[in-house]
Amino acid sequence: QVQLVESGGGSVQAGGSLRLSCVASTNTYTLNSMAWFRQAPGREREWVAFIYTRGTRGSDTAYADSVKGRFAVSHDSPKNTVYLQMNSLKPEDTAMYYCAADRGILGSLSRLRTDTYTYWGQGTQVTVSS
């Protein structure tokens, strides 16, 4: 069983930055696909960003339109960690942020779905005030 542990959340003012970390209990090279999702109160969990963590796919990344140009996802294989750098934060970015992973090589549609991922972290709260 793979465990994912997120950290780095907090409270910031609009325009500020945070960096979230997701540490996996196994070598992320074996996980292939990792992603960040978020869920605001009363709303469904939504996909934020995606990264391939293995081999020939390199560090291919993808982002939701709402965060493109502001967020960046990266991978540190020796540390078994995926990061989400969040800049120019807005109040609408306020949510619980979750790390997800799967051993499959997820395509452009499947990576957006919560039911695609086998492993999930417990979440870290991000609050952005105006």
Side-chain angles (χ1 to χ4, degrees):
Q1 183 71 8
V2 175
Q3 295 185 339
L4 304 174
V5 179
E6 303 98 331
S7 63
S11 297
V12 296
Q13 290 191 329
S17 298
L18 285 173
R19 188 178 78 158
L20 306 184
S21 299
C22 171
V23 181
S25 61
T26 189
N27 191 330
T28 49
Y29 184 81
T30 69
L31 288 174
N32 281 311
S33 301
M34 296 188 72
W36 288 94
F37 286 76
R38 66 186 181 187
Q39 188 167 20
R43 302 189 65 176
E44 292 188 354
R45 192 170 297 190
E46 66 173 355
W47 171 75
V48 174
F50 174 88
I51 186 168
Y52 285 116
T53 55
R54 178 175 183 174
T56 58
R57 294 274 182 168
S59 293
D60 287 357
T61 58
Y63 301 92
D65 287 344
S66 59
V67 306
K68 199 172 295 183
R70 299 188 298 121
F71 290 12
V73 60
S74 60
H75 172 227
D76 188 334
S77 181
K79 295 184 178 180
N80 295 330
T81 301
V82 170
Y83 301 98
L84 184 67
Q85 178 66 44
M86 305 186 297
N87 300 324
S88 302
L89 282 161
K90 305 175 181 180
E92 51 264 43
D93 294 319
T94 295
M96 184 74 78
Y97 282 71
Y98 297 91
C99 178
D102 195 82
R103 298 191 189 277
I105 300 175
L106 303 181
S108 58
L109 294 179
S110 58
R111 69 178 64 156
L112 310 181
R113 297 175 50 170
T114 57
D115 61 358
T116 299
Y117 295 86
T118 303
Y119 309 108
W120 289 86
Q122 82 291 346
T124 185
Q125 178 67 39
V126 171
T127 302
V128 184
S129 58
S130 57

